Amino acid sequence: MKVLVINSGSSSIKYQLLDMNTEEVLSKGLVERIGINGSRIVHRINGEKHILEEEIPDHEVGLKRVLELLTSEKYGVLKDLKEIDAVGHRVVHGGERFASSVKITDEVLKTIEALSFLAPLHNPANIMGIKSAMKLLPGVPQVGVFDTAFHQKMPAKAYLYAIPYEYYEKYKIRRYGFHGTSHRYVSKRAAEILGKPYNELKIITVHVGNGASVAAVNKGVSVDTSMGFTPLEGLVMGTRSGDIDPAIVEFLEKEEGLSAKEVVNILNKKSGVLGLTKGFSSDMRDIEDNAIEGDPVCRLAFDVYEYRIAKYIGAYAAAMNGVDAIVFTAGVGENSPIMREEIIENYLGYLGITIDKEANNIRGEEKIISTPDSKVVAMVVPTNEELMIARDTKEIIEKGLDELKL
Ligand code: ADP
């Protein structure tokens, strides 16, 4: 069975074609700058990267070009589009309606559209991807896998904000959490690597990339996570502030003569390590390099970043009344030995974790990075959201399901 995975953003489409009999990636790539000058496709097959610069006015043209490439003589891996058995879509917001991965029907599509008020930047872009795929691959089943779904089993005490309850009832203001597909993938994989049943483990997953969140996964269920009503809450990120006192919004409105919308835009796009380093960089590689060379501004930004992660790990160990494994993943989590070492050495000794410095000196591979005598295992598990989406898609299609409970 061949599954095409699509992650459609506002001006980009990420794609991966997988052979789900072997879970091998046949081709993958990225259509970027859709509708903007300088649009291009970065297409990969057989370990080779091809960059095709061409005009791509909208998502439908972008996906059409991807399908042409996948079946072309020069860049292709398919003889015919009929070889694509199903399409799996990443969908950011499933609200309270979707706690599972689902087969996309007209009713499901309408519901995703209706949920756009919760994710105005993301869901409309996801919908463009779904509609384009439905049009260009008629009759091919489509599946939606939601970033929020894995967190839908969180108890009310974790998802409710202590604001007037009517706002939850009226507007559905609550913690939803994001990166669910990644937290689900790495926590499951961690259990496999440890050789223990998933439903017996208490796992804290630390997904730190451009966006960043922590989740408490108790016996296979996400019981809390750091992102909230939007992906702005929680950890310090590349450009996002994470947790702040909400009264700062009004204060800045008054003092800087800004609208609330402008302040929130600053919290999303000009804050995080970018803001802490006075606009120097949102990329943790730059921050890390300069911090190591002794730059005090970058060192402080790195400290704030690590400290917030450590506090969430402590909070989630408390939330689950214990922890068996802490899993680092995503761009920074997979590739920054120094961040992992500093967090473990400076803050997690009380949990009985000792870092194995040699084991920790890796990037982007599965590895246990704590010493064998540690009471809690620390590990690195590279995330693979596309594979998780393709697996859900395969299971739904093969078993003829309408939805797959997570
Ligand atoms: P996204 O949230 O966009 O999926 P990723 O998970 O790919 O992001 O993470 C991207 C980030 O990972 C980069 O912005 C960079 O800060 C960080 N990163 C990548 N490699 C390293 C590295 N070697 N050391 C520290 N940070 C890294």
Coordinates of all heavy atoms in Angstrom, one line a residue, residues 209-211 283-285 288 330-332 335-336 363, ligand 1:
G209 N 11.6 22.2 18.9 CA 12.1 22.5 17.5 C 11.8 24.0 17.4 O 12.1 24.8 18.4
N210 N 11.4 24.5 16.3 CA 11.0 25.9 16.2 C 9.8 26.2 17.1 O 9.8 27.1 17.9 CB 10.5 26.2 14.7 CG 11.7 26.6 13.9 OD1 12.7 27.2 14.3 ND2 11.7 26.1 12.6
G211 N 8.8 25.3 17.0 CA 7.7 25.3 18.0 C 8.2 24.3 19.1 O 9.0 23.4 18.8
D283 N 17.2 30.9 15.9 CA 17.7 29.5 15.6 C 18.6 29.1 16.8 O 19.6 29.7 17.0 CB 18.5 29.5 14.3 CG 18.7 28.1 13.8 OD1 19.3 27.3 14.6 OD2 18.4 27.8 12.7
M284 N 18.3 28.0 17.4 CA 19.0 27.6 18.6 C 20.5 27.2 18.3 O 21.3 27.3 19.2 CB 18.3 26.4 19.3 CG 17.1 26.8 20.1 SD 17.4 28.2 21.2 CE 18.3 27.4 22.5
R285 N 20.8 26.9 17.0 CA 22.2 26.6 16.7 C 23.0 27.9 16.9 O 24.1 27.8 17.5 CB 22.3 26.2 15.2 CG 22.2 24.8 15.0 CD 22.0 24.5 13.5 NE 20.7 25.0 13.1 CZ 20.1 24.5 12.0 NH1 20.6 23.6 11.3 NH2 18.9 25.1 11.7
E288 N 23.2 28.6 20.7 CA 24.1 27.7 21.3 C 25.6 28.0 21.0 O 26.4 28.1 21.9 CB 23.7 26.3 20.8 CG 24.3 25.1 21.5 CD 23.9 23.8 20.9 OE1 22.7 23.5 20.8 OE2 24.8 23.1 20.4
A330 N 12.6 16.4 18.2 CA 12.5 17.6 17.3 C 13.9 18.2 17.1 O 14.8 17.9 17.8 CB 11.4 18.5 17.7
G331 N 13.9 19.3 16.3 CA 15.2 19.9 15.8 C 16.2 20.1 17.0 O 17.3 19.6 16.9
V332 N 15.8 20.8 18.0 CA 16.8 21.0 19.1 C 16.9 19.8 20.0 O 18.1 19.4 20.3 CB 16.3 22.2 20.0 CG1 17.4 22.6 20.9 CG2 15.9 23.4 19.1
N335 N 19.1 17.3 18.3 CA 20.5 17.7 17.8 C 21.3 18.5 18.7 O 22.4 18.9 18.3 CB 20.3 18.5 16.5 CG 19.7 17.7 15.4 OD1 20.3 16.7 15.0 ND2 18.6 18.1 14.9
S336 N 20.9 18.7 19.9 CA 21.7 19.5 20.8 C 22.1 18.8 22.1 O 21.4 18.8 23.1 CB 20.9 20.8 21.2 OG 21.6 21.5 22.2
R363 N 23.5 13.0 17.5 CA 22.5 13.8 16.9 C 21.5 13.0 16.0 O 22.0 12.2 15.2 CB 23.1 14.9 16.0 CG 24.0 15.9 16.7 CD 24.7 16.8 15.8 NE 25.8 17.4 16.4 CZ 25.8 18.5 17.1 NH1 24.6 19.2 17.3 NH2 26.9 19.0 17.7
Ligands
ADP1 P1 9.7 22.7 13.2 O1 9.1 23.1 14.5 O2 9.7 23.8 12.2 O3 9.4 21.3 12.7 P2 12.3 21.5 13.8 O4 11.8 20.4 14.7 O5 12.8 21.1 12.4 O6 11.3 22.7 13.6 O7 13.5 22.3 14.5 C1 14.1 23.3 13.9 C2 15.1 24.0 14.9 O8 16.0 23.0 15.4 C3 16.0 25.0 14.2 O9 15.4 26.3 14.2 C4 17.2 25.0 15.1 O10 17.0 26.0 16.1 C5 17.2 23.6 15.8 N1 18.4 22.9 15.5 C6 18.6 22.1 14.4 N2 19.9 21.6 14.5 C7 20.4 22.0 15.7 C8 21.6 21.8 16.4 N3 22.6 21.1 15.9 N4 21.8 22.4 17.6 C9 20.8 23.1 18.1 N5 19.6 23.4 17.6 C10 19.4 22.8 16.4

